[in-house]
Amino acid sequence: EIRFIVNFAECTVCFFENQRQVVFETNIVEEKKKYCQELQRKYESEQLIYKNLLNEVGLAVVGQAKLPIDALNSALENSKIKIKDYEERIPIANFDLEQTNNIYKSLDYYFDMFTGWSEEFDIATNERKKMIIGKLLKRIEISSGYNVNIVVNMDYERFIN
């Protein structure tokens, strides 16, 4: 039983260490930040296009436009639609970035906690080892044929899935 607990704790720490490496290697937060910046850049560019089209409509009123008024009206409508789309997408992307950032910050907290627990296993009593496993797991089910089903505590489960 104690050997299983020690091996389980070592595996858990290894898992979180690997998860942490994946997070920092792929740098999902940085990718989402770039996406937000790209949306903002496109939004500002479309606003400039819209402003230039309005100026062209003003020139059309006095007969100095380079394009027919129907083409300008159509271009203005398309530009309005794009601006509205960016105005909807930018807050969603920023919220997603913030949520992802918060998750990865809390991942560091859990990783540090798991690392501390792993180091503590070397000197812990059997009761302390059981308490640490109790924090990690909701329950362990063993069925016939030695099938083991481990249900992780919900706080940690989001990092596993």
Side-chain angles (χ1 to χ4, degrees):
E1 176 185 333
I2 295 170
R3 183 178 305 214
F4 169 75
I5 292 174
V6 171
N7 289 339
F8 178 76
E10 290 170 1
C11 289
T12 305
V13 170
C14 288
F15 170 78
F16 274 89
E17 204 167 78
N18 289 337
Q19 289 294 93
R20 189 177 188 183
Q21 275 183 315
V22 167
V23 166
F24 292 112
E25 284 174 9
T26 58
N27 212 344
I28 294 169
V29 173
E30 199 58 41
E31 289 174 11
K32 289 185 178 196
K33 188 182 289 185
K34 285 179 184 177
Y35 176 70
C36 289
Q37 291 169 343
E38 180 69 14
L39 281 178
Q40 186 64 37
R41 186 192 61 75
K42 287 180 178 180
Y43 173 69
E44 291 169 1
S45 174
E46 195 60 43
Q47 283 183 316
L48 184 61
I49 290 169
Y50 184 76
K51 181 181 173 186
N52 289 337
L53 286 170
L54 283 177
N55 288 338
E56 193 67 25
V57 167
L59 291 173
V61 170
V62 293
Q64 297 177 357
K66 298 174 185 171
L67 297 171
I69 194 74
D70 292 339
L72 289 172
N73 284 334
S74 176
L76 275 171
E77 284 304 312
N78 287 338
S79 187
K80 276 185 195 178
I81 291 169
K82 287 180 182 179
I83 288 172
K84 184 175 176 161
D85 180 53
Y86 289 126
E87 287 173 345
E88 291 172 358
R89 289 170 55 196
I90 287 172
I92 293 169
N94 285 331
F95 180 76
D96 185 42
L97 171 63
E98 184 180 325
Q99 290 295 99
T100 303
N101 214 0
N102 290 340
I103 287 171
Y104 288 130
K105 284 179 184 176
S106 65
L107 182 62
D108 274 341
Y109 166 77
Y110 285 113
F111 176 77
D112 292 341
M113 187 185 320
F114 280 127
T115 303
W117 286 346
S118 173
E119 292 168 358
E120 201 174 316
F121 260 84
D122 291 336
I123 57 172
T125 64
N126 287 344
E127 286 73 30
R128 180 76 177 145
K129 288 178 183 180
K130 289 177 185 178
M131 192 270 321
I132 292 171
I133 294 298
K135 285 292 238 176
L136 295 172
L137 304 178
K138 197 175 217 175
R139 71 179 173 271
I140 299 174
E141 300 167 350
I142 302 174
S143 60
S144 62
Y146 297 102
N147 292 322
V148 178
N149 183 27
I150 298 173
V151 180
V152 178
N153 187 337
M154 200 61 175
D155 288 343
Y156 312 113
E157 193 171 88
R158 66 181 170 160
F159 299 113
I160 293 172
N161 293 332

